[in-house]
Amino acid sequence: MTEEADLRADRPTAAELLEIIAETLQESVVPATEPHARHQARVAANLCRIIGRELAAETDPMPGLPPSLVELDDDDASNAFEQVKRLVRAKL
């Protein structure tokens, strides 16, 4: 690992930053906000969490599937089955 990669590992990811923002909104801003604005602060916190999950999902590589599962030899079929299981587990 290069020195630059080491420095990047110490920084929070975009998803982590969004979670920090969401926690701050939920724990500090919502309780200190006038009742009519609490809903907007909660919505903003939830949006940060949704965006964070989407960013995290984009960085998690999903296993690719063969273009056709019908015309596979036995070795390819076995590999495809394992890929399908990993894909299903990743979505759960």
Side-chain angles (χ1 to χ4, degrees):
M1 189 182 299
T2 67
E3 187 174 325
E4 184 179 320
D6 288 339
L7 293 175
R8 281 184 291 192
D10 290 340
R11 290 191 245 164
T13 64
E16 291 168 336
L17 291 172
L18 285 164
E19 181 57 30
I20 292 167
I21 294 168
E23 286 177 16
T24 301
L25 286 168
Q26 192 68 42
E27 295 172 11
S28 299
V29 176
V30 169
T33 304
E34 294 295 321
H36 67 279
R38 286 184 187 151
H39 176 71
Q40 286 88 353
R42 283 189 193 104
V43 169
N46 288 334
L47 290 173
C48 286
R49 288 189 173 104
I50 291 167
I51 294 167
R53 283 193 302 269
E54 289 181 5
L55 286 172
E58 287 177 7
T59 59
D60 294 339
M62 290 291 204
L65 295 176
S68 170
L69 296 175
V70 177
E71 300 173 15
L72 298 174
D73 61 25
D74 289 341
D75 290 335
D76 288 338
S78 176
N79 291 334
F81 179 71
E82 292 303 317
Q83 291 174 345
V84 169
K85 284 196 317 189
R86 281 196 304 274
L87 179 64
V88 170
R89 285 187 182 126
K91 289 186 174 200
L92 297 176

